Amino acid sequence: MLPWSAELAGRLDHHVVDSALLRDNPLGDPHERPLVVYVPPGYDDDPERRYPSIYVLLGYTGHVAMWFNRAPFRQPYPELADALFAGGDVPPAVVVYVDAWTALGGSQYLDSPATGRYHSYLRDEIVPYVDARYRTIADRDHRAVTGKSSGGYGAMVSAMLAPDVFGALATHAGDALFEVAARPSFPGLARRLRDMYDGSYDTFLTDFRGRLAGTKEGDLELLEMYAYAAAYSADDDGTVRLPFDGTGAVVPEVWQRWLERDPVVMAGEPRYAEALRSMRAIWVDAGRRDEYFLDFGAVAFHRAVQAAGVPGERIHFELFDAGHGGIEYRYPLALAWLSRRLSK
């Protein structure tokens, strides 16, 4: 009963996946991971019917249980998605809620020697797990990946890195255009490290892990930057290289490694441009007032997708009136758009 909960027309199944790829990961994070799979209304009534599948990735600091958090006057996304399919106007799909949480707050859905093999986990374990247990149409032309913020980043790079697995994507305010979205924060973070932790990330991490998170100014900003560096610029031995020095200036050789993982830059490379051209559908949106300037990232990625040669009829691009947070109402719009295109 609303506002406390909504009765679903479809069904949510809760699983625990025992991941061989995440076992003994560098951060010591659990290799047993929750996975939530939604099946639409009518799934159990027609045992012969198969469905497209859409994989949903969380943003930084998100883990799968948080999909069920309730905000005032709002419904969580799984309920919004169920209402979408219950309406009968959108072709049904299996929706998969993926967890890629780490002790640093996120993995960026990449394989990294500092965090673990989270891209491979999604590609090689989660997708086969779902296809083996649900009546999906088990090919890339009927499989999409979506997400917001770092989840939107994950959607962009997963589609480019694994076009044999994903044939469509949606990104809501996804991390992109690092020169604009990330680089300007370096001096402020360097100052905070200097003034609070003698310029040492090791000192910060030791302090952070020994107390309640979020009880000192800048906790999440410092941790977020370290998590990104762990994903983008870790050495083979797991050493995390920061993209700035003690003055806040860019370290060129490390920053170049970040740029190589920027979806805007990636889209300009021939192999990734080819992957984008193979997509059946690409949705890109962001709020015009995004506090992290990821609206500019959305514009830049849209332009890169166009430059890669993706036909305009396969692309939806939109800037809307909002900031970075509280945009869960946008997710069903992309879900409907993808479901229609995957069902053709």
Side-chain angles (χ1 to χ4, degrees):
M1 181 174 65
L2 291 175
W4 301 277
S5 65
E7 185 175 346
L8 299 182
R11 187 181 77 240
L12 283 168
D13 296 337
H14 293 257
H15 301 267
V16 175
V17 177
D18 187 345
S19 169
L21 291 172
L22 297 184
R23 190 180 294 271
D24 299 322
N25 64 79
L27 294 175
D29 288 322
H31 61 88
E32 293 183 333
R33 290 299 174 108
L35 182 74
V36 179
V37 180
Y38 169 83
V39 297
Y43 179 89
D44 295 320
D45 299 331
D46 185 356
E48 300 302 318
R49 182 171 183 177
R50 292 191 169 271
Y51 297 81
S53 55
I54 300 175
Y55 289 72
V56 184
L57 311 182
L58 285 142
Y60 179 70
T61 70
H63 58 71
V64 74
M66 295 168 67
W67 281 122
F68 303 97
N69 293 347
R70 308 190 73 82
F73 309 107
R74 302 267 187 127
Q75 285 181 267
Y77 179 42
E79 293 182 9
L80 297 177
D82 178 72
L84 178 79
F85 293 121
D89 297 328
V90 176
V94 171
V95 182
V96 184
Y97 298 92
V98 180
D99 185 275
W101 168 267
T102 73
L104 299 177
S107 64
Q108 296 303 95
Y109 304 92
L110 294 173
D111 288 348
S112 164
T115 59
R117 300 181 63 189
Y118 287 89
H119 169 69
S120 295
Y121 167 67
L122 171 62
R123 181 193 64 205
D124 297 334
E125 291 188 325
I126 293 299
V127 170
Y129 182 95
V130 172
D131 285 342
R133 289 163 176 81
Y134 292 88
R135 297 195 313 275
T136 60
I137 305 173
D139 62 59
R140 56 91 63 187
D141 286 336
H142 297 90
R143 191 185 294 122
V145 58
T146 80
K148 180 247 182 172
S149 194
S150 286
Y153 174 87
M156 289 183 279
V157 298
S158 294
M160 286 191 279
L161 292 171
D164 57 323
V165 176
F166 299 107
L169 73 95
T171 172
H172 306 279
D175 299 351
L177 196 63
F178 292 173
E179 289 280 2
V180 171
R183 185 168 177 170
S185 69
F186 294 170
L189 291 170
R191 178 179 291 165
R192 187 166 288 162
L193 274 176
R194 180 196 67 193
D195 293 347
M196 297 180 67
Y197 301 102
D198 295 324
S200 168
Y201 248 109
D202 287 340
T203 301
F204 162 69
L205 290 170
T206 298
D207 178 63
F208 178 83
R209 289 164 177 161
R211 58 177 169 80
L212 188 63
T215 54
K216 285 189 179 180
E217 182 182 1
D219 270 1
L220 291 184
E221 291 86 351
L222 286 171
L223 188 66
E224 182 178 26
M225 178 56 61
Y226 191 83
Y228 293 160
Y232 304 145
S233 52
D235 293 344
D236 290 342
D237 64 359
T239 301
V240 176
R241 301 294 180 186
L242 293 176
F244 57 89
D245 64 18
T247 70
V250 165
V251 179
E253 62 272 19
V254 180
W255 183 237
Q256 180 58 38
R257 295 169 69 179
W258 278 53
L259 293 180
E260 290 170 0
R261 288 303 192 189
D262 184 335
V264 175
V265 177
M266 290 175 65
E269 297 185 22
R271 57 177 169 160
Y272 298 131
E274 181 180 0
L276 290 169
R277 285 192 297 274
S278 77
M279 295 293 117
R280 300 186 66 191
I282 298 175
W283 174 291
V284 183
D285 73 6
R288 291 180 176 275
R289 296 181 279 107
D290 191 285
E291 296 85 345
Y292 306 101
F293 302 102
L294 293 172
D295 49 329
F296 293 129
V299 170
F301 185 67
H302 175 228
R303 290 175 178 171
V305 166
Q306 291 177 308
V310 180
E313 64 270 15
R314 297 187 201 165
I315 306 169
H316 177 96
F317 171 72
E318 185 178 354
L319 296 181
F320 52 92
D321 185 27
H324 190 70
I327 62 170
E328 78 288 339
Y329 61 91
R330 298 290 306 179
Y331 309 163
L333 302 178
L335 185 62
W337 195 77
L338 290 172
S339 294
R340 292 187 174 105
R341 279 149 185 79
L342 293 176
S343 297
K344 292 180 180 178

